[in-house]
Amino acid sequence: MRSNNKAYISELKDNVGQEVTLEGWLYNSRSSGKIQFLIIRDGTGLCQCIAEKGTVSDEDFEQLKHLGQESSLTVTGTVRKDERSIGGYELAVTGAEVIQAANDYPITPKSHGIDFLLKNRHLHLRSQRQWCIGKIRHTVIDAIRRFFNDNGFTLIDTPIFTAMAGEDTQTLFEVDYFGEPLHLTQTGQLHLESAAMSFGKVYCFGPTFRAEKSKTRRHLTEFWMVEPEVAFIDLDGLLELAENFVSFVTAEVLRSNKSELETLGADISSFAKIKPPFYRLTYTKVVDILMGERTKEFLAKQLEDLKNQKEQAEKRIAELEKEQQGQIKQWQKDKIAGELIELRSALDELGTRIENNPKHAKLAAEFQWGKDLGGSDETIISQMHDKPVFVTHYPRAAKAFYMKTDRGNDKVVLNFDMLAPAGFGEIIGGSVREDDYDRLAARIKEQGLDIENYNWYLDLRRYGSVPHGGFGLGVERTVAWLTGETHIRQCIAFPRMMDKVYI
Ligand code: 4AD
Ligand code: MG
């Protein structure tokens, strides 16, 4: 407890039987004559506060009764343990003080469309769902730092303004840097490689930018990426590092955010499987799988399941629409309205998946060795596995200039993607780096990049070149996978997307 009996909701377990004052906002309320149920949130959690006529003054009682959602207030009362209550504790209110009465808060407990919520992101951040995601993102970032700090890595901050393209030149954001064209960084990797030659094991962690022209659920134009880089490492070593790292982050989220995961309806049972070793497949093997009979059957079965789910959703919608017509209380109507919005959006999603299934099946069946894996191909492979899959040895022509050519087969590079399971898809991309001066210079030219910009990078192959490599993990994609969010825009407080920047 703080001074003046002030307490945070997260501390109530230590204050049972005592009188405390909570400072927060009115999340929701309901009144039944002589008793009011107020849900208060204070940033640390939610708490049901019960105000009874007679126990609180008539004046307080009346004021609370008419108080709008998201009004700020302090509530004083005695802490009671109650298993059924949100958070397990409740407050028997003895007094309350309104700080600012809010009227007509735009986001009501009824569900709203995603576009409306994004326009109101500054307020929507207060919702239970965004709060849970924010808490989990915090744990993910904390675990990322801890993993590398505790394993001998040195943090290096790489620049955001850069002259070099690290990845696809189609996705560069140009900036006018005092009359010179520069761009916002797509990756810290190239600078990080030079730091690895000084510190051995390094990582950078910051925002990265890609002018992605695709409006998919997996792409933001500004996203956070952590990138480790290690001197004297081979592909096997990188895979081991990546699986230990992702297993650690997952375990930390489960340890610290079980209740948030439950609130979000995440698949907690699947967390237990996220342990090394992850599956290892070569690109060539993946192409075989995609084109094979097993995938055909898998997708046919999936189509059948989706159609069944659609039928069930339609049935439930019809039931609820009928219920809505009946004699029911307002709160029941609101509840049904909320469920209907969710069901209809799920139905939309099912419709899209049913429509896409045959298209994706065709793409997979007709896949040609040499192409990069598409989003739908990754999804299929990821759906067929219950823990993350490494896909290694992609065709050289489909990949970035810096990836090391496999000396045993110069058609492929020593790289990998890590696909998260259950259809989520790529969360990590990485590789061993080309460490031979001539080969690297040739690759830079081959890709039409201006070699002048890469002179310093080539120096790393002139002066004490060693085998080295690293990878990048996208924070938003990782959070989306762990929380079961379908769209990564929900996994950063203020998302930047191609079509719109709302706030
Ligand atoms: O596979 P990518 O492009 O790899 C690199 O940038 C390497 N230079 C990393 C390295 O080896 N140091 O991106 C790495 C990861 C992806 O797997 C994905 O999780 C995330 O970054 N990512 C994105 N996340 C959100 N929106 C986008 N537009 C993303 N592009 C990549
Ligand atoms: Mg990639």
Side-chain angles (χ1 to χ4, degrees), residues 212 214-220 374-380 382 423-426 477 486-489:
E212 301 278 7
S214 50
K215 291 186 240 172
T216 78
R217 65 179 63 184
R218 294 173 185 168
H219 290 93
L220 296 171
S376 66
D377 307 314
E378 284 176 2
T379 306
I380 294 168
S382 145
F424 192 81
E426 179 192 336
R477 289 202 193 168
T486 43
H487 204 302
I488 67 169
R489 69 185 163 211

mmCIF file with all atom_site columns, all heavy atoms in Angstrom, residues 212 214-220 374-380 382 423-426 477 486-489:
data_model
loop_
_atom_site.group_PDB
_atom_site.id
_atom_site.type_symbol
_atom_site.label_atom_id
_atom_site.label_alt_id
_atom_site.label_comp_id
_atom_site.label_asym_id
_atom_site.label_entity_id
_atom_site.label_seq_id
_atom_site.pdbx_PDB_ins_code
_atom_site.Cartn_x
_atom_site.Cartn_y
_atom_site.Cartn_z
_atom_site.occupancy
_atom_site.B_iso_or_equiv
_atom_site.pdbx_formal_charge
_atom_site.auth_seq_id
_atom_site.auth_comp_id
_atom_site.auth_asym_id
_atom_site.auth_atom_id
_atom_site.pdbx_PDB_model_num
ATOM 1   N N   . GLU A 1 212 ? 6.392  -1.450  -47.667 1.00 0.00 ? 212 GLU A N   1
ATOM 2   C CA  . GLU A 1 212 ? 5.706  -2.651  -48.146 1.00 0.00 ? 212 GLU A CA  1
ATOM 3   C C   . GLU A 1 212 ? 4.441  -2.224  -48.871 1.00 0.00 ? 212 GLU A C   1
ATOM 4   O O   . GLU A 1 212 ? 3.594  -1.548  -48.308 1.00 0.00 ? 212 GLU A O   1
ATOM 5   C CB  . GLU A 1 212 ? 5.291  -3.541  -46.959 1.00 0.00 ? 212 GLU A CB  1
ATOM 6   C CG  . GLU A 1 212 ? 6.419  -4.008  -46.081 1.00 0.00 ? 212 GLU A CG  1
ATOM 7   C CD  . GLU A 1 212 ? 7.132  -5.229  -46.640 1.00 0.00 ? 212 GLU A CD  1
ATOM 8   O OE1 . GLU A 1 212 ? 6.820  -5.629  -47.776 1.00 0.00 ? 212 GLU A OE1 1
ATOM 9   O OE2 . GLU A 1 212 ? 8.010  -5.752  -45.926 1.00 0.00 ? 212 GLU A OE2 1
ATOM 10  N N   . SER A 1 214 ? 2.259  -4.289  -49.813 1.00 0.00 ? 214 SER A N   1
ATOM 11  C CA  . SER A 1 214 ? 1.202  -5.283  -49.589 1.00 0.00 ? 214 SER A CA  1
ATOM 12  C C   . SER A 1 214 ? 0.451  -4.960  -48.301 1.00 0.00 ? 214 SER A C   1
ATOM 13  O O   . SER A 1 214 ? 1.044  -4.645  -47.284 1.00 0.00 ? 214 SER A O   1
ATOM 14  C CB  . SER A 1 214 ? 1.802  -6.671  -49.495 1.00 0.00 ? 214 SER A CB  1
ATOM 15  O OG  . SER A 1 214 ? 2.878  -6.668  -48.590 1.00 0.00 ? 214 SER A OG  1
ATOM 16  N N   . LYS A 1 215 ? -0.865 -5.055  -48.390 1.00 0.00 ? 215 LYS A N   1
ATOM 17  C CA  . LYS A 1 215 ? -1.697 -4.771  -47.215 1.00 0.00 ? 215 LYS A CA  1
ATOM 18  C C   . LYS A 1 215 ? -2.070 -6.085  -46.541 1.00 0.00 ? 215 LYS A C   1
ATOM 19  O O   . LYS A 1 215 ? -3.228 -6.436  -46.480 1.00 0.00 ? 215 LYS A O   1
ATOM 20  C CB  . LYS A 1 215 ? -2.972 -4.053  -47.642 1.00 0.00 ? 215 LYS A CB  1
ATOM 21  C CG  . LYS A 1 215 ? -2.721 -2.659  -48.130 1.00 0.00 ? 215 LYS A CG  1
ATOM 22  C CD  . LYS A 1 215 ? -4.034 -1.967  -48.404 1.00 0.00 ? 215 LYS A CD  1
ATOM 23  C CE  . LYS A 1 215 ? -4.126 -1.557  -49.855 1.00 0.00 ? 215 LYS A CE  1
ATOM 24  N NZ  . LYS A 1 215 ? -5.422 -1.058  -50.235 1.00 0.00 ? 215 LYS A NZ  1
ATOM 25  N N   . THR A 1 216 ? -1.084 -6.830  -46.098 1.00 0.00 ? 216 THR A N   1
ATOM 26  C CA  . THR A 1 216 ? -1.421 -8.109  -45.485 1.00 0.00 ? 216 THR A CA  1
ATOM 27  C C   . THR A 1 216 ? -1.432 -7.977  -43.972 1.00 0.00 ? 216 THR A C   1
ATOM 28  O O   . THR A 1 216 ? -0.996 -6.976  -43.421 1.00 0.00 ? 216 THR A O   1
ATOM 29  C CB  . THR A 1 216 ? -0.410 -9.213  -45.860 1.00 0.00 ? 216 THR A CB  1
ATOM 30  O OG1 . THR A 1 216 ? 0.755  -9.013  -45.060 1.00 0.00 ? 216 THR A OG1 1
ATOM 31  C CG2 . THR A 1 216 ? -0.039 -9.157  -47.326 1.00 0.00 ? 216 THR A CG2 1
ATOM 32  N N   . ARG A 1 217 ? -1.906 -9.027  -43.336 1.00 0.00 ? 217 ARG A N   1
ATOM 33  C CA  . ARG A 1 217 ? -1.961 -9.027  -41.881 1.00 0.00 ? 217 ARG A CA  1
ATOM 34  C C   . ARG A 1 217 ? -0.573 -9.156  -41.261 1.00 0.00 ? 217 ARG A C   1
ATOM 35  O O   . ARG A 1 217 ? -0.400 -9.057  -40.071 1.00 0.00 ? 217 ARG A O   1
ATOM 36  C CB  . ARG A 1 217 ? -2.834 -10.174 -41.426 1.00 0.00 ? 217 ARG A CB  1
ATOM 37  C CG  . ARG A 1 217 ? -2.210 -11.524 -41.783 1.00 0.00 ? 217 ARG A CG  1
ATOM 38  C CD  . ARG A 1 217 ? -3.019 -12.672 -41.339 1.00 0.00 ? 217 ARG A CD  1
ATOM 39  N NE  . ARG A 1 217 ? -4.321 -12.700 -41.982 1.00 0.00 ? 217 ARG A NE  1
ATOM 40  C CZ  . ARG A 1 217 ? -5.247 -13.588 -41.691 1.00 0.00 ? 217 ARG A CZ  1
ATOM 41  N NH1 . ARG A 1 217 ? -5.042 -14.457 -40.740 1.00 0.00 ? 217 ARG A NH1 1
ATOM 42  N NH2 . ARG A 1 217 ? -6.383 -13.601 -42.337 1.00 0.00 ? 217 ARG A NH2 1
ATOM 43  N N   . ARG A 1 218 ? 0.437  -9.437  -42.093 1.00 0.00 ? 218 ARG A N   1
ATOM 44  C CA  . ARG A 1 218 ? 1.782  -9.676  -41.560 1.00 0.00 ? 218 ARG A CA  1
ATOM 45  C C   . ARG A 1 218 ? 2.737  -8.532  -41.832 1.00 0.00 ? 218 ARG A C   1
ATOM 46  O O   . ARG A 1 218 ? 3.918  -8.641  -41.557 1.00 0.00 ? 218 ARG A O   1
ATOM 47  C CB  . ARG A 1 218 ? 2.377  -10.929 -42.211 1.00 0.00 ? 218 ARG A CB  1
ATOM 48  C CG  . ARG A 1 218 ? 1.667  -12.183 -41.851 1.00 0.00 ? 218 ARG A CG  1
ATOM 49  C CD  . ARG A 1 218 ? 2.215  -13.316 -42.676 1.00 0.00 ? 218 ARG A CD  1
ATOM 50  N NE  . ARG A 1 218 ? 1.466  -14.527 -42.423 1.00 0.00 ? 218 ARG A NE  1
ATOM 51  C CZ  . ARG A 1 218 ? 1.568  -15.613 -43.155 1.00 0.00 ? 218 ARG A CZ  1
ATOM 52  N NH1 . ARG A 1 218 ? 2.376  -15.639 -44.171 1.00 0.00 ? 218 ARG A NH1 1
ATOM 53  N NH2 . ARG A 1 218 ? 0.865  -16.665 -42.872 1.00 0.00 ? 218 ARG A NH2 1
ATOM 54  N N   . HIS A 1 219 ? 2.253  -7.457  -42.453 1.00 0.00 ? 219 HIS A N   1
ATOM 55  C CA  . HIS A 1 219 ? 3.163  -6.381  -42.834 1.00 0.00 ? 219 HIS A CA  1
ATOM 56  C C   . HIS A 1 219 ? 2.795  -5.030  -42.241 1.00 0.00 ? 219 HIS A C   1
ATOM 57  O O   . HIS A 1 219 ? 1.681  -4.564  -42.389 1.00 0.00 ? 219 HIS A O   1
ATOM 58  C CB  . HIS A 1 219 ? 3.216  -6.252  -44.360 1.00 0.00 ? 219 HIS A CB  1
ATOM 59  C CG  . HIS A 1 219 ? 3.909  -7.402  -45.005 1.00 0.00 ? 219 HIS A CG  1
ATOM 60  N ND1 . HIS A 1 219 ? 3.232  -8.501  -45.464 1.00 0.00 ? 219 HIS A ND1 1
ATOM 61  C CD2 . HIS A 1 219 ? 5.224  -7.635  -45.240 1.00 0.00 ? 219 HIS A CD2 1
ATOM 62  C CE1 . HIS A 1 219 ? 4.106  -9.371  -45.959 1.00 0.00 ? 219 HIS A CE1 1
ATOM 63  N NE2 . HIS A 1 219 ? 5.320  -8.865  -45.835 1.00 0.00 ? 219 HIS A NE2 1
ATOM 64  N N   . LEU A 1 220 ? 3.788  -4.420  -41.622 1.00 0.00 ? 220 LEU A N   1
ATOM 65  C CA  . LEU A 1 220 ? 3.674  -3.030  -41.195 1.00 0.00 ? 220 LEU A CA  1
ATOM 66  C C   . LEU A 1 220 ? 4.764  -2.272  -41.950 1.00 0.00 ? 220 LEU A C   1
ATOM 67  O O   . LEU A 1 220 ? 5.718  -2.881  -42.447 1.00 0.00 ? 220 LEU A O   1
ATOM 68  C CB  . LEU A 1 220 ? 3.921  -2.921  -39.693 1.00 0.00 ? 220 LEU A CB  1
ATOM 69  C CG  . LEU A 1 220 ? 2.918  -3.623  -38.777 1.00 0.00 ? 220 LEU A CG  1
ATOM 70  C CD1 . LEU A 1 220 ? 3.423  -3.621  -37.348 1.00 0.00 ? 220 LEU A CD1 1
ATOM 71  C CD2 . LEU A 1 220 ? 1.554  -2.943  -38.859 1.00 0.00 ? 220 LEU A CD2 1
ATOM 72  N N   . GLY A 1 374 ? 5.865  -18.184 -51.030 1.00 0.00 ? 374 GLY A N   1
ATOM 73  C CA  . GLY A 1 374 ? 4.887  -17.127 -50.842 1.00 0.00 ? 374 GLY A CA  1
ATOM 74  C C   . GLY A 1 374 ? 4.249  -17.255 -49.473 1.00 0.00 ? 374 GLY A C   1
ATOM 75  O O   . GLY A 1 374 ? 4.420  -18.270 -48.785 1.00 0.00 ? 374 GLY A O   1
ATOM 76  N N   . GLY A 1 375 ? 3.497  -16.222 -49.085 1.00 0.00 ? 375 GLY A N   1
ATOM 77  C CA  . GLY A 1 375 ? 2.819  -16.222 -47.794 1.00 0.00 ? 375 GLY A CA  1
ATOM 78  C C   . GLY A 1 375 ? 1.943  -17.456 -47.619 1.00 0.00 ? 375 GLY A C   1
ATOM 79  O O   . GLY A 1 375 ? 1.934  -18.080 -46.557 1.00 0.00 ? 375 GLY A O   1
ATOM 80  N N   . SER A 1 376 ? 1.225  -17.835 -48.694 1.00 0.00 ? 376 SER A N   1
ATOM 81  C CA  . SER A 1 376 ? 0.311  -18.971 -48.557 1.00 0.00 ? 376 SER A CA  1
ATOM 82  C C   . SER A 1 376 ? 1.080  -20.286 -48.426 1.00 0.00 ? 376 SER A C   1
ATOM 83  O O   . SER A 1 376 ? 0.661  -21.188 -47.702 1.00 0.00 ? 376 SER A O   1
ATOM 84  C CB  . SER A 1 376 ? -0.662 -19.027 -49.733 1.00 0.00 ? 376 SER A CB  1
ATOM 85  O OG  . SER A 1 376 ? 0.015  -19.294 -50.938 1.00 0.00 ? 376 SER A OG  1
ATOM 86  N N   . ASP A 1 377 ? 2.246  -20.371 -49.092 1.00 0.00 ? 377 ASP A N   1
ATOM 87  C CA  . ASP A 1 377 ? 3.054  -21.597 -48.969 1.00 0.00 ? 377 ASP A CA  1
ATOM 88  C C   . ASP A 1 377 ? 3.574  -21.754 -47.543 1.00 0.00 ? 377 ASP A C   1
ATOM 89  O O   . ASP A 1 377 ? 3.529  -22.837 -46.964 1.00 0.00 ? 377 ASP A O   1
ATOM 90  C CB  . ASP A 1 377 ? 4.256  -21.544 -49.931 1.00 0.00 ? 377 ASP A CB  1
ATOM 91  C CG  . ASP A 1 377 ? 3.823  -21.257 -51.363 1.00 0.00 ? 377 ASP A CG  1
ATOM 92  O OD1 . ASP A 1 377 ? 2.861  -21.884 -51.814 1.00 0.00 ? 377 ASP A OD1 1
ATOM 93  O OD2 . ASP A 1 377 ? 4.441  -20.390 -52.002 1.00 0.00 ? 377 ASP A OD2 1
ATOM 94  N N   . GLU A 1 378 ? 4.039  -20.630 -46.990 1.00 0.00 ? 378 GLU A N   1
ATOM 95  C CA  . GLU A 1 378 ? 4.512  -20.664 -45.602 1.00 0.00 ? 378 GLU A CA  1
ATOM 96  C C   . GLU A 1 378 ? 3.383  -21.069 -44.669 1.00 0.00 ? 378 GLU A C   1
ATOM 97  O O   . GLU A 1 378 ? 3.571  -21.845 -43.738 1.00 0.00 ? 378 GLU A O   1
ATOM 98  C CB  . GLU A 1 378 ? 4.996  -19.275 -45.172 1.00 0.00 ? 378 GLU A CB  1
ATOM 99  C CG  . GLU A 1 378 ? 6.336  -18.893 -45.727 1.00 0.00 ? 378 GLU A CG  1
ATOM 100 C CD  . GLU A 1 378 ? 6.706  -17.475 -45.340 1.00 0.00 ? 378 GLU A CD  1
ATOM 101 O OE1 . GLU A 1 378 ? 5.928  -16.823 -44.618 1.00 0.00 ? 378 GLU A OE1 1
ATOM 102 O OE2 . GLU A 1 378 ? 7.771  -17.025 -45.779 1.00 0.00 ? 378 GLU A OE2 1
ATOM 103 N N   . THR A 1 379 ? 2.194  -20.513 -44.932 1.00 0.00 ? 379 THR A N   1
ATOM 104 C CA  . THR A 1 379 ? 1.057  -20.819 -44.071 1.00 0.00 ? 379 THR A CA  1
ATOM 105 C C   . THR A 1 379 ? 0.760  -22.316 -44.085 1.00 0.00 ? 379 THR A C   1
ATOM 106 O O   . THR A 1 379 ? 0.537  -22.922 -43.041 1.00 0.00 ? 379 THR A O   1
ATOM 107 C CB  . THR A 1 379 ? -0.194 -20.034 -44.525 1.00 0.00 ? 379 THR A CB  1
ATOM 108 O OG1 . THR A 1 379 ? 0.156  -18.658 -44.570 1.00 0.00 ? 379 THR A OG1 1
ATOM 109 C CG2 . THR A 1 379 ? -1.359 -20.232 -43.578 1.00 0.00 ? 379 THR A CG2 1
ATOM 110 N N   . ILE A 1 380 ? 0.775  -22.904 -45.269 1.00 0.00 ? 380 ILE A N   1
ATOM 111 C CA  . ILE A 1 380 ? 0.471  -24.334 -45.374 1.00 0.00 ? 380 ILE A CA  1
ATOM 112 C C   . ILE A 1 380 ? 1.477  -25.158 -44.560 1.00 0.00 ? 380 ILE A C   1
ATOM 113 O O   . ILE A 1 380 ? 1.099  -25.990 -43.738 1.00 0.00 ? 380 ILE A O   1
ATOM 114 C CB  . ILE A 1 380 ? 0.489  -24.794 -46.854 1.00 0.00 ? 380 ILE A CB  1
ATOM 115 C CG1 . ILE A 1 380 ? -0.670 -24.124 -47.612 1.00 0.00 ? 380 ILE A CG1 1
ATOM 116 C CG2 . ILE A 1 380 ? 0.404  -26.317 -46.961 1.00 0.00 ? 380 ILE A CG2 1
ATOM 117 C CD1 . ILE A 1 380 ? -0.600 -24.275 -49.129 1.00 0.00 ? 380 ILE A CD1 1
ATOM 118 N N   . SER A 1 382 ? 3.355  -24.204 -42.155 1.00 0.00 ? 382 SER A N   1
ATOM 119 C CA  . SER A 1 382 ? 3.220  -23.892 -40.743 1.00 0.00 ? 382 SER A CA  1
ATOM 120 C C   . SER A 1 382 ? 1.970  -24.544 -40.137 1.00 0.00 ? 382 SER A C   1
ATOM 121 O O   . SER A 1 382 ? 1.978  -25.013 -39.009 1.00 0.00 ? 382 SER A O   1
ATOM 122 C CB  . SER A 1 382 ? 3.271  -22.374 -40.618 1.00 0.00 ? 382 SER A CB  1
ATOM 123 O OG  . SER A 1 382 ? 2.477  -21.893 -39.632 1.00 0.00 ? 382 SER A OG  1
ATOM 124 N N   . GLY A 1 423 ? -0.116 -22.166 -38.666 1.00 0.00 ? 423 GLY A N   1
ATOM 125 C CA  . GLY A 1 423 ? -0.508 -21.280 -39.759 1.00 0.00 ? 423 GLY A CA  1
ATOM 126 C C   . GLY A 1 423 ? -0.023 -19.863 -39.627 1.00 0.00 ? 423 GLY A C   1
ATOM 127 O O   . GLY A 1 423 ? -0.316 -19.023 -40.466 1.00 0.00 ? 423 GLY A O   1
ATOM 128 N N   . PHE A 1 424 ? 0.760  -19.561 -38.593 1.00 0.00 ? 424 PHE A N   1
ATOM 129 C CA  . PHE A 1 424 ? 1.141  -18.165 -38.431 1.00 0.00 ? 424 PHE A CA  1
ATOM 130 C C   . PHE A 1 424 ? 2.164  -17.706 -39.474 1.00 0.00 ? 424 PHE A C   1
ATOM 131 O O   . PHE A 1 424 ? 2.055  -16.622 -40.020 1.00 0.00 ? 424 PHE A O   1
ATOM 132 C CB  . PHE A 1 424 ? 1.622  -17.860 -37.007 1.00 0.00 ? 424 PHE A CB  1
ATOM 133 C CG  . PHE A 1 424 ? 1.721  -16.387 -36.837 1.00 0.00 ? 424 PHE A CG  1
ATOM 134 C CD1 . PHE A 1 424 ? 0.582  -15.652 -36.572 1.00 0.00 ? 424 PHE A CD1 1
ATOM 135 C CD2 . PHE A 1 424 ? 2.898  -15.728 -37.084 1.00 0.00 ? 424 PHE A CD2 1
ATOM 136 C CE1 . PHE A 1 424 ? 0.629  -14.267 -36.531 1.00 0.00 ? 424 PHE A CE1 1
ATOM 137 C CE2 . PHE A 1 424 ? 2.959  -14.347 -37.042 1.00 0.00 ? 424 PHE A CE2 1
ATOM 138 C CZ  . PHE A 1 424 ? 1.824  -13.626 -36.757 1.00 0.00 ? 424 PHE A CZ  1
ATOM 139 N N   . GLY A 1 425 ? 3.169  -18.538 -39.729 1.00 0.00 ? 425 GLY A N   1
ATOM 140 C CA  . GLY A 1 425 ? 4.157  -18.170 -40.760 1.00 0.00 ? 425 GLY A CA  1
ATOM 141 C C   . GLY A 1 425 ? 5.423  -17.542 -40.209 1.00 0.00 ? 425 GLY A C   1
ATOM 142 O O   . GLY A 1 425 ? 5.688  -17.603 -39.002 1.00 0.00 ? 425 GLY A O   1
ATOM 143 N N   . GLU A 1 426 ? 6.201  -16.917 -41.101 1.00 0.00 ? 426 GLU A N   1
ATOM 144 C CA  . GLU A 1 426 ? 7.567  -16.460 -40.765 1.00 0.00 ? 426 GLU A CA  1
ATOM 145 C C   . GLU A 1 426 ? 7.631  -15.446 -39.624 1.00 0.00 ? 426 GLU A C   1
ATOM 146 O O   . GLU A 1 426 ? 6.960  -14.430 -39.656 1.00 0.00 ? 426 GLU A O   1
ATOM 147 C CB  . GLU A 1 426 ? 8.200  -15.838 -42.020 1.00 0.00 ? 426 GLU A CB  1
ATOM 148 C CG  . GLU A 1 426 ? 9.602  -15.321 -41.766 1.00 0.00 ? 426 GLU A CG  1
ATOM 149 C CD  . GLU A 1 426 ? 10.138 -14.439 -42.891 1.00 0.00 ? 426 GLU A CD  1
ATOM 150 O OE1 . GLU A 1 426 ? 9.678  -14.565 -44.040 1.00 0.00 ? 426 GLU A OE1 1
ATOM 151 O OE2 . GLU A 1 426 ? 11.026 -13.616 -42.598 1.00 0.00 ? 426 GLU A OE2 1
ATOM 152 N N   . ARG A 1 477 ? 5.178  -9.648  -35.107 1.00 0.00 ? 477 ARG A N   1
ATOM 153 C CA  . ARG A 1 477 ? 4.749  -10.985 -35.552 1.00 0.00 ? 477 ARG A CA  1
ATOM 154 C C   . ARG A 1 477 ? 4.829  -11.990 -34.415 1.00 0.00 ? 477 ARG A C   1
ATOM 155 O O   . ARG A 1 477 ? 3.983  -12.866 -34.290 1.00 0.00 ? 477 ARG A O   1
ATOM 156 C CB  . ARG A 1 477 ? 5.618  -11.461 -36.714 1.00 0.00 ? 477 ARG A CB  1
ATOM 157 C CG  . ARG A 1 477 ? 5.313  -10.690 -37.981 1.00 0.00 ? 477 ARG A CG  1
ATOM 158 C CD  . ARG A 1 477 ? 5.746  -11.476 -39.177 1.00 0.00 ? 477 ARG A CD  1
ATOM 159 N NE  . ARG A 1 477 ? 5.747  -10.641 -40.360 1.00 0.00 ? 477 ARG A NE  1
ATOM 160 C CZ  . ARG A 1 477 ? 6.290  -10.997 -41.511 1.00 0.00 ? 477 ARG A CZ  1
ATOM 161 N NH1 . ARG A 1 477 ? 6.878  -12.174 -41.623 1.00 0.00 ? 477 ARG A NH1 1
ATOM 162 N NH2 . ARG A 1 477 ? 6.247  -10.191 -42.548 1.00 0.00 ? 477 ARG A NH2 1
ATOM 163 N N   . THR A 1 486 ? -4.867 -12.211 -35.160 1.00 0.00 ? 486 THR A N   1
ATOM 164 C CA  . THR A 1 486 ? -4.683 -12.546 -36.571 1.00 0.00 ? 486 THR A CA  1
ATOM 165 C C   . THR A 1 486 ? -3.928 -11.439 -37.309 1.00 0.00 ? 486 THR A C   1
ATOM 166 O O   . THR A 1 486 ? -3.233 -11.704 -38.270 1.00 0.00 ? 486 THR A O   1
ATOM 167 C CB  . THR A 1 486 ? -6.025 -12.804 -37.281 1.00 0.00 ? 486 THR A CB  1
ATOM 168 O OG1 . THR A 1 486 ? -6.931 -11.812 -36.862 1.00 0.00 ? 486 THR A OG1 1
ATOM 169 C CG2 . THR A 1 486 ? -6.556 -14.172 -36.945 1.00 0.00 ? 486 THR A CG2 1
ATOM 170 N N   . HIS A 1 487 ? -4.053 -10.203 -36.862 1.00 0.00 ? 487 HIS A N   1
ATOM 171 C CA  . HIS A 1 487 ? -3.424 -9.097  -37.578 1.00 0.00 ? 487 HIS A CA  1
ATOM 172 C C   . HIS A 1 487 ? -2.354 -8.436  -36.713 1.00 0.00 ? 487 HIS A C   1
ATOM 173 O O   . HIS A 1 487 ? -2.636 -8.056  -35.583 1.00 0.00 ? 487 HIS A O   1
ATOM 174 C CB  . HIS A 1 487 ? -4.485 -8.072  -37.963 1.00 0.00 ? 487 HIS A CB  1
ATOM 175 C CG  . HIS A 1 487 ? -4.075 -7.242  -39.134 1.00 0.00 ? 487 HIS A CG  1
ATOM 176 N ND1 . HIS A 1 487 ? -2.916 -6.489  -39.132 1.00 0.00 ? 487 HIS A ND1 1
ATOM 177 C CD2 . HIS A 1 487 ? -4.631 -7.058  -40.344 1.00 0.00 ? 487 HIS A CD2 1
ATOM 178 C CE1 . HIS A 1 487 ? -2.799 -5.870  -40.289 1.00 0.00 ? 487 HIS A CE1 1
ATOM 179 N NE2 . HIS A 1 487 ? -3.822 -6.200  -41.044 1.00 0.00 ? 487 HIS A NE2 1
ATOM 180 N N   . ILE A 1 488 ? -1.145 -8.265  -37.273 1.00 0.00 ? 488 ILE A N   1
ATOM 181 C CA  . ILE A 1 488 ? -0.067 -7.749  -36.430 1.00 0.00 ? 488 ILE A CA  1
ATOM 182 C C   . ILE A 1 488 ? -0.257 -6.279  -36.050 1.00 0.00 ? 488 ILE A C   1
ATOM 183 O O   . ILE A 1 488 ? 0.408  -5.789  -35.156 1.00 0.00 ? 488 ILE A O   1
ATOM 184 C CB  . ILE A 1 488 ? 1.342  -7.990  -37.025 1.00 0.00 ? 488 ILE A CB  1
ATOM 185 C CG1 . ILE A 1 488 ? 1.567  -7.184  -38.295 1.00 0.00 ? 488 ILE A CG1 1
ATOM 186 C CG2 . ILE A 1 488 ? 1.591  -9.457  -37.261 1.00 0.00 ? 488 ILE A CG2 1
ATOM 187 C CD1 . ILE A 1 488 ? 3.030  -7.204  -38.737 1.00 0.00 ? 488 ILE A CD1 1
ATOM 188 N N   . ARG A 1 489 ? -1.190 -5.585  -36.719 1.00 0.00 ? 489 ARG A N   1
ATOM 189 C CA  . ARG A 1 489 ? -1.402 -4.167  -36.346 1.00 0.00 ? 489 ARG A CA  1
ATOM 190 C C   . ARG A 1 489 ? -1.912 -4.043  -34.901 1.00 0.00 ? 489 ARG A C   1
ATOM 191 O O   . ARG A 1 489 ? -1.784 -2.980  -34.287 1.00 0.00 ? 489 ARG A O   1
ATOM 192 C CB  . ARG A 1 489 ? -2.397 -3.504  -37.300 1.00 0.00 ? 489 ARG A CB  1
ATOM 193 C CG  . ARG A 1 489 ? -3.803 -4.033  -37.141 1.00 0.00 ? 489 ARG A CG  1
ATOM 194 C CD  . ARG A 1 489 ? -4.777 -3.482  -38.153 1.00 0.00 ? 489 ARG A CD  1
ATOM 195 N NE  . ARG A 1 489 ? -5.934 -4.364  -38.150 1.00 0.00 ? 489 ARG A NE  1
ATOM 196 C CZ  . ARG A 1 489 ? -6.715 -4.613  -39.179 1.00 0.00 ? 489 ARG A CZ  1
ATOM 197 N NH1 . ARG A 1 489 ? -6.487 -4.045  -40.328 1.00 0.00 ? 489 ARG A NH1 1
ATOM 198 N NH2 . ARG A 1 489 ? -7.720 -5.431  -39.068 1.00 0.00 ? 489 ARG A NH2 1
#
